[in-house]
Amino acid sequence: MGGLKDRYIRFDWAIKRLLRQKANFDVLEGFLTVFIGEEVKIVEILESEGNQQTPDDKFNRVDIKARNSKGEIILVEVQNTSELYYLERILYGVAKAITEHIHLGDTYKEVKKVYSISILYFDIGKGADYLYVGQNKFIGVHTNDQLVITAKEKGALVQKSPAEIFPEYILVRVNEFDKVAVTPLEEWVAYLKSGVIKENTTAPGLQEARKKLQYYSMTDAERYAYDEHLNAVMIQNDVLGNAREEGLAEGRAEGRAEGRAEAKKDIVKSMLSNGLSVEQAAKYSGLTVEEVESIK
């Protein structure tokens, strides 16, 4: 039991099965507070197509949709394997969340800000950082200043940045994190990467996670299901990794073959231009007469 005591449940499993429970909101709220940069209080968990809990789960996509005390919608998604059009999909997910939570006849004032947080365990592209944030800002073409709009709230006119209205995208590239965890943000990313939580952590949500996400606290059946989930993730990553390597190897082999074919064509052309007959070029190149004829 001692070896299990310091082992914590992976976040993708926790967010799918444990953090939807109100008793565990403090872990989720701590996570969101750190990554969004302001205190977050969850009012309710909303239904989302990724919240499947059968053996046929799409284990490469685990998400949760929540509403905070400001009425904003927060989408959290864990992606274990690569996806070609990933950004397009999260854009669609955000657009769907916006339209699902405004009703016919409502004014546009009812449109709520959406946060999309993606925890990525695959290489989405080039970039030196492990955390990227995407916000909408309107920049003056000639003045380079940022536009601030006037809005009405509670009967008073206020100044707002478009970033306060438009969706915000947060991409956490877990595998790119290689620092000693010092700040709350770093501690959270370290947990996402290695499953380690410092005993003396003060990061919002992590102290609670130490108590509620312990591997040994699960029943035998829960541990079995959890271990099977980990095996499925590892097998899927191995399959994709092998397919990728085989594809690269095949591409390199095809490239070498194409290169040799082009070189042979150039040699045949040189032979013919220097007065050799088609038959002689075929003999010295190893090609058939018909192939040499097609090169002429």
Side-chain angles (χ1 to χ4, degrees):
M1 187 68 70
L4 299 177
K5 195 168 184 178
D6 296 325
R7 184 177 174 187
Y8 298 97
I9 300 167
R10 271 176 57 118
F11 194 68
D12 58 349
W13 180 271
I15 204 170
K16 190 174 189 179
R17 289 167 170 79
L18 302 177
L19 302 188
R20 294 170 57 81
Q21 302 167 14
K22 194 165 186 177
N24 297 326
F25 277 8
D26 48 3
V27 178
L28 182 60
E29 288 171 344
F31 166 81
L32 296 174
T33 293
V34 169
F35 281 89
I36 291 177
E38 62 180 59
E39 186 175 5
V40 174
K41 290 295 181 185
I42 298 299
V43 174
E44 62 177 326
I45 299 296
L46 306 168
E47 286 308 311
S48 175
E49 65 182 23
N51 292 321
Q52 301 174 347
Q53 298 195 30
T54 69
D56 297 324
D57 281 356
K58 298 189 289 276
F59 56 80
N60 67 319
R61 188 175 74 185
V62 182
D63 54 16
I64 198 166
K65 181 162 67 169
R67 192 197 310 274
N68 68 9
S69 56
K70 295 164 66 175
E72 298 167 331
I73 306 299
I74 302 173
L75 308 176
V76 183
E77 180 176 303
V78 180
Q79 183 81 8
N80 285 308
T81 55
S82 60
E83 187 172 322
L84 188 58
Y85 298 108
Y86 184 73
L87 292 185
E88 289 84 349
R89 183 165 68 71
I90 63 172
L91 172 62
Y92 173 79
V94 166
K96 188 177 179 184
I98 293 171
T99 55
E100 281 179 346
H101 295 282
I102 187 169
H103 305 290
L104 189 64
D106 286 347
T107 66
Y108 292 121
K109 177 177 176 289
E110 302 304 319
V111 173
K112 299 300 181 183
K113 182 179 176 72
V114 176
Y115 290 91
S116 172
I117 304 176
S118 299
I119 302 167
L120 308 177
Y121 289 91
F122 70 95
D123 185 7
I124 195 171
K126 293 183 179 179
D129 210 330
Y130 64 88
L131 183 68
Y132 286 85
V133 177
Q135 296 177 318
N136 281 80
K137 297 177 182 178
F138 292 82
I139 308 298
V141 173
H142 303 101
T143 58
N144 204 40
D145 66 319
Q146 289 192 30
L147 178 67
V148 177
I149 63 169
T150 302
K152 193 172 184 179
E153 289 185 359
K154 297 180 180 179
L157 295 178
V158 296
Q159 299 294 309
K160 298 181 73 171
S161 164
E164 297 177 62
I165 301 169
F166 282 84
E168 184 168 328
Y169 300 88
I170 300 171
L171 303 180
V172 187
R173 302 171 71 214
V174 177
N175 296 334
E176 301 303 314
F177 180 77
D178 60 357
K179 302 176 66 176
V180 175
V182 177
T183 67
L185 176 63
E186 292 167 349
E187 287 190 42
W188 261 104
V189 180
Y191 160 61
L192 295 175
K193 183 173 184 178
S194 64
V196 173
I197 304 175
K198 294 197 299 188
E199 185 175 356
N200 61 346
T201 183
T202 58
L206 281 184
Q207 191 61 253
E208 292 80 2
R210 278 180 56 84
K211 301 171 185 174
K212 298 178 178 182
L213 303 186
Q214 294 175 343
Y215 177 82
Y216 78 90
S217 66
M218 292 193 290
T219 65
D220 290 343
E222 289 170 338
R223 278 202 296 271
Y224 176 80
Y226 175 72
D227 290 341
E228 286 300 300
H229 167 76
L230 295 187
N231 288 336
V233 170
M234 288 188 288
I235 290 169
Q236 178 75 351
N237 286 336
D238 284 345
V239 168
L240 291 176
N242 289 337
R244 194 175 294 114
E245 286 301 317
E246 289 171 5
L248 289 173
E250 184 178 341
R252 286 193 292 267
E254 289 177 356
R256 287 194 294 270
E258 289 175 4
R260 286 194 295 268
E262 288 300 318
K264 188 169 283 190
K265 285 182 181 179
D266 290 339
I267 293 171
V268 168
K269 288 178 181 178
S270 178
M271 289 179 180
L272 296 174
S273 66
N274 282 285
L276 271 69
S277 67
V278 171
E279 290 76 14
Q280 288 173 315
K283 177 181 178 181
Y284 295 127
S285 67
L287 299 178
T288 65
V289 170
E290 289 76 14
E291 287 171 332
V292 172
E293 286 282 1
S294 69
I295 295 173
K296 287 176 62 178

